[in-house]
Amino acid sequence: MKLLVTGGAGFIGSNFIHYILKSYPEDKVVNLDALTYAGNLENLKDVENNPNYQFVHGDIMDSLLVEELIRDVDVVVHFAAESHVDRSILDSDSFVRTNVNGTLNLLEIAKNSGNKRFHHISTDEVFGSLNIGDPAFNENTHYDPRSPYSASKASSDHLVRSYFHTHNLPVTISNCSNNYGPFQFPEKLIPFFITSLMEGRKLPVYGTGENIRDWLHVKDHCRAIDKIIREGKIGDTYCIGGGAEKTNLEITHKILELMEFDDTNIEYVPDRKGHDKRYAVDFSKIKSELAWEPSVSFEDGIKETVEWYKNNIQWLTNIKTGEYRNYGDHHLNNKHTKIG
Ligand code: NAD
Ligand code: TDX
């Protein structure tokens, strides 16, 4: 199989590329990434010389480039997005550009290139916010996005489904809960708190810290996407979850415990605007239809993740100093194809 992965230099996309190249030595992967602040080619250092891997620096809005790349792949696996809720609250434009217009551009080209198989990576946040005791989100939950980020992702999901119904584009969609693990940009809760403690800063818990997220190790998300692109039913949506609901304070205390710090390192700060209370995902469909379920327990996964950040200080330092962006330049000039 030849895959066009968009956004493969980000957190989940880079983990997915590692997963595919390791699991399927015959498969080929083309990674199209614009290298925004969230794209980091150091995430792919281990595979950069793999003959089955090619990096292309470019934007999913660049139609000529996308047309050229889509032509000879079997499947498009679409991760590229603006992904951070807090940034979407400050400035929503780039979220609409990449998440909505960018997805539309890919769909249109996939349609015009012989109806390519298209898998769209989405989020549980499109379903809105749950209260304690509400049933978990599932594939039939109505959309109710409440942040500019989730509104842009909801819009992209609708466009993907519309291309299935209108044009018979062979699509699938997955809506996943919060991921954690290696290579996550240190703006998201778990890596931000781990790296803050490493750097001697306090942990800014928004509001009371009682908001709940369902956590899934990124490796398990990659396994689920792999199952869907190979065995998923065309036109279907799959909800993916970790079965590990935790309050933000539980996460905070766990990180403090694993890193041997005490509660005086917590600082309560004003709440996020429109902060969703709770996410929870019912993953029984993918479990029964595709025999997928999480394999990494939160206890093991969070321990391993803390260790990963402690053991990858150079990766982190390069982000803090901005050096990671030069790694991209060096890499493009010396090793990999740059088309467009
Ligand atoms: P990320 O922010 O770490 O990575 C996004 C990648 O997309 C970056 O490499 C960036 O350079 C690239 N990109 C951005 N705009 C682009 C453009 N216009 N053209 C080409 N590339 C572009 O994001 P992530 O956390 O890895 O999330 C990946 C996908 O998974 C997103 O679609 C996100 O909505 C979804 N998702 C994330 C989570 C999570 O917990 N992180 C959970 C569920 C779903
Ligand atoms: O400093 C912080 N303090 C804090 O209390 C940060 C960065 C976050 N939080 C809280 C807000 C959320 O309740 O922690 C929770 C998790 O926050 P994020 O890591 O920003 O994730 P979230 O907003 O839940 O969205 C994530 O999961 C779904 C990803 O960023 C999305 O891309 C994905 O779709």
Side-chain angles (χ1 to χ4, degrees):
M1 195 182 257
K2 185 164 180 183
L3 303 89
L4 174 61
V5 170
T6 69
F11 163 49
I12 307 175
S14 61
N15 276 282
F16 181 73
I17 291 173
H18 281 113
Y19 179 84
I20 291 293
L21 293 174
K22 197 167 169 209
S23 311
Y24 303 94
E26 306 293 305
D27 280 7
K28 292 190 171 14
V29 175
V30 178
N31 172 17
L32 171 63
D33 197 296
L35 299 181
T36 67
Y37 81 92
N40 184 352
L41 287 178
E42 288 197 51
N43 298 357
L44 294 153
K45 224 176 184 168
D46 290 357
V47 297
E48 66 189 22
N49 294 317
N50 184 321
N52 288 338
Y53 168 71
Q54 184 195 6
F55 174 68
V56 179
H57 185 201
D59 198 301
I60 56 170
M61 288 295 282
D62 181 341
S63 300
L64 286 179
L65 175 61
V66 172
E67 271 164 25
E68 184 183 333
L69 297 176
I70 270 191
R71 208 171 290 144
D72 67 332
V73 300
D74 302 301
V75 55
V76 180
V77 189
H78 177 36
F79 293 91
E82 288 295 335
S83 70
H84 194 43
V85 174
D86 290 327
R87 288 181 191 258
S88 81
I89 294 167
L90 295 173
D91 179 8
S92 316
D93 282 358
S94 58
F95 286 75
V96 173
R97 182 187 180 275
T98 289
N99 302 1
V100 184
N101 297 325
T103 302
L104 178 61
N105 198 44
L106 293 174
L107 289 166
E108 188 58 18
I109 296 168
K111 167 178 80 74
N112 293 337
S113 308
N115 258 10
K116 288 283 164 167
R117 175 80 175 84
F118 191 97
H119 180 67
H120 178 59
I121 316 295
S122 192
T123 168
D124 60 357
E125 299 194 18
V126 298
F127 300 121
S129 177
L130 297 168
N131 286 316
I132 311 291
D134 286 348
F137 302 133
N138 66 32
E139 290 77 6
N140 298 315
T141 305
H142 286 158
Y143 276 46
D144 184 21
R146 294 157 38 107
S147 74
Y149 163 69
S150 53
S152 68
K153 291 297 291 186
S155 173
S156 64
D157 292 10
H158 292 318
L159 286 168
V160 174
R161 244 173 242 122
S162 80
Y163 268 65
F164 169 67
H165 292 292
T166 309
H167 300 295
N168 292 319
L169 192 73
V171 308
T172 42
I173 298 178
S174 49
N175 295 91
C176 188
S177 62
N178 286 56
N179 284 214
Y180 68 99
F183 301 119
Q184 188 166 30
F185 198 81
E187 63 183 353
K188 306 276 165 55
L189 178 70
I190 288 180
F192 181 50
F193 278 17
I194 295 171
T195 57
S196 295
L197 289 177
M198 286 164 71
E199 291 162 1
R201 281 181 283 112
K202 292 207 177 211
L203 308 184
V205 170
Y206 297 164
T208 59
E210 284 158 346
N211 302 64
I212 294 170
R213 298 292 181 266
D214 170 30
W215 293 95
L216 178 71
H217 193 280
V218 64
K219 258 185 242 156
D220 279 327
H221 190 186
C222 295
R223 284 177 46 243
I225 296 165
D226 179 40
K227 283 248 176 200
I228 297 167
I229 60 178
R230 285 164 212 271
E231 300 165 36
K233 183 163 171 261
I234 299 304
D236 269 24
T237 292
Y238 295 88
C239 282
I240 306 170
E245 283 186 56
K246 309 275 174 210
T247 65
N248 293 337
L249 267 184
E250 285 174 313
I251 298 287
T252 307
H253 284 128
K254 189 76 211 172
I255 292 172
L256 286 167
E257 178 202 314
L258 288 169
M259 296 186 69
E260 299 177 346
F261 283 87
D262 64 32
D263 285 11
T264 58
N265 291 283
I266 297 178
E267 180 180 29
Y268 290 93
V269 299
D271 211 351
R272 173 184 278 176
K273 283 186 185 175
H275 198 173
D276 288 343
K277 173 75 181 160
R278 172 179 167 238
Y279 306 141
V281 175
D282 171 355
F283 57 87
S284 48
K285 174 177 172 178
I286 188 168
K287 186 175 178 185
S288 66
E289 292 187 11
L290 302 182
W292 175 91
E293 62 184 328
S295 68
V296 182
S297 71
F298 185 75
E299 274 296 308
D300 291 347
I302 189 73
K303 252 188 233 154
E304 180 210 294
T305 302
V306 166
E307 284 309 304
W308 189 88
Y309 282 90
K310 280 171 42 185
N311 292 332
N312 284 276
I313 291 182
Q314 194 58 51
W315 178 88
L316 200 59
T317 306
N318 290 351
I319 289 178
K320 298 288 164 167
T321 59
E323 185 56 31
Y324 75 114
R325 307 203 80 167
N326 300 334
Y327 180 87
D329 292 342
H330 171 77
H331 182 87
L332 290 172
N333 292 337
N334 293 300
K335 295 220 171 80
H336 283 254
T337 321
K338 185 178 183 182
I339 307 173

